[in-house]
Amino acid sequence: MLKIIPSSSPSPRGRRDRPSLSFPRGRDGRETLVRAGKRVGVRVIGFLKLLLVFIAATAAAELSRNSEYDYDPPAPGSYSLPVVKSAADGALLDSNNKAITLRDLTHGRITVLSFIYTRCAAPKACPYATGVLSQIHDLSVDDKTLAKSMRLVSISFDPEYDTPQRLAAYSENVREQGSGCEWRFVTSKSRAELEPILAAYDQAVDKRQNPADPQGPLYHTLRVFLIDREGRIRNIYSSGTLDPRLVVADVKTLLLEESRISTQ
């Protein structure tokens, strides 16, 4: 069993935690959605879609600087992103039930890699991460450079439930745009094949004491990875630093780095 890592762990480069997307104050919007989902008896994917729509709508209204986002993201290229470590490989299955290696998804394009599971209903966990990736994907629809140079990857750590067929259905619900950058949804054949990947990425996952917990049967930390074309991790985002504006700025910083190197 992997050791649970507190979600408040600092960024590997010691970055100050940045304000994150939040839900309305007063009556807790997250609890309201959970209660509504239980009351009407919607299926898991339908409920998650409702949750993602809510998050995306909230985030869209807060992308500019305000009391929640009281900072400006750094200008692309005005800072550097040191190499953290090499991105690990592993055996996976894509949503078409075809064998693929994780290395195939972490080389050749700048990759934003998120660990999720589709039964998660904790708003600041998987639905939040997928909502941010959805915003980034939408931005790539009108940005040809991002569309050609960036890849999004959502990898499930719940292979017993998240079969390729379920991931295919899930991807149709969360990916609103057919164009834009590549966005792959993958899982593993078994927990045994998944464990080395989770360990290599320090992705903590554990079963909740109550399998019927309204937030989902698994507890995990939120970790999203920025990986350059050479398969090197360049940033690791937590729930406190996963800001779509910052991720896009980081991607563009890596693109500018590539441009400078190619002209030397």
Side-chain angles (χ1 to χ4, degrees), residues 23 33 46-56 120-123 127:
F23 288 82
L33 280 174
F47 173 51
L48 288 178
K49 185 174 182 181
L50 172 65
L51 191 58
L52 286 167
V53 169
F54 180 83
I55 292 172
C120 181

Side-chain angles (χ1 to χ4, degrees), residues 164-189:
Q165 293 78 12
R166 280 201 173 99
L167 282 181
Y170 181 79
S171 68
E172 291 179 2
N173 279 296
V174 302
R175 183 170 45 199
E176 297 294 336
Q177 301 288 344
S179 56
C181 70
E182 177 185 353
W183 191 355
R184 305 290 293 275
F185 292 79
V186 294
T187 187
S188 61
K189 290 182 179 179

Side-chain angles (χ1 to χ4, degrees), residues 23-256:
F23 288 82
R25 303 186 185 277
R27 177 173 296 179
D28 194 314
R30 292 169 289 184
E31 293 183 1
T32 300
L33 280 174
V34 170
R35 290 196 299 269
K38 292 174 67 178
R39 184 170 61 248
V40 300
V42 294
R43 292 185 300 177
V44 172
I45 288 180
F47 173 51
L48 288 178
K49 185 174 182 181
L50 172 65
L51 191 58
L52 286 167
V53 169
F54 180 83
I55 292 172
T58 303
E62 296 183 349
L63 284 179
S64 59
R65 181 170 178 163
N66 57 27
S67 59
E68 295 292 336
Y69 268 142
D70 193 18
Y71 78 101
D72 293 318
S78 64
Y79 57 97
S80 61
L81 291 166
V83 173
V84 177
K85 63 179 181 178
S86 295
D89 196 7
L92 298 168
L93 289 174
D94 67 14
S95 57
N96 294 314
N97 203 27
K98 293 183 179 179
I100 190 172
T101 67
L102 185 50
R103 189 183 190 283
D104 292 335
L105 301 177
T106 58
H107 287 70
R109 292 191 180 197
I110 296 172
T111 300
V112 180
L113 171 67
S114 173
F115 286 91
I116 64 163
Y117 76 110
T118 64
R119 292 188 286 174
C120 181
K124 286 294 289 185
C126 304
Y128 177 80
T130 302
V132 170
L133 263 62
S134 180
Q135 292 177 69
I136 296 171
H137 184 262
D138 288 347
L139 289 173
S140 74
V141 172
D142 297 320
D143 189 320
K144 292 183 179 179
T145 300
L146 288 180
K148 291 171 54 179
S149 305
M150 184 174 63
R151 175 192 298 118
L152 307 178
V153 177
S154 296
I155 176 171
S156 172
F157 46 72
D158 187 15
E160 293 84 1
Y161 184 86
D162 286 339
T163 62
Q165 293 78 12
R166 280 201 173 99
L167 282 181
Y170 181 79
S171 68
E172 291 179 2
N173 279 296
V174 302
R175 183 170 45 199
E176 297 294 336
Q177 301 288 344
S179 56
C181 70
E182 177 185 353
W183 191 355
R184 305 290 293 275
F185 292 79
V186 294
T187 187
S188 61
K189 290 182 179 179
S190 67
R191 188 74 185 187
E193 290 191 359
L194 178 65
E195 287 293 346
I197 297 175
L198 296 180
Y201 286 87
D202 296 322
Q203 176 62 68
V205 180
D206 204 350
K207 292 182 178 180
R208 294 186 188 272
Q209 291 184 348
N210 176 14
D213 190 295
Q215 293 194 349
L218 301 177
Y219 171 82
H220 65 97
T221 55
L222 189 152
R223 290 171 71 80
V224 177
F225 297 82
L226 177 69
I227 304 170
D228 65 22
R229 293 182 198 266
E230 303 302 316
R232 301 172 299 179
I233 296 173
R234 305 297 290 273
N235 203 356
I236 304 174
Y237 310 99
S238 67
S239 60
T241 59
L242 187 60
D243 174 352
R245 304 175 307 162
L246 176 60
V247 177
V248 171
D250 285 353
V251 170
K252 292 183 176 182
T253 292
L254 293 184
L255 290 172
L256 290 170

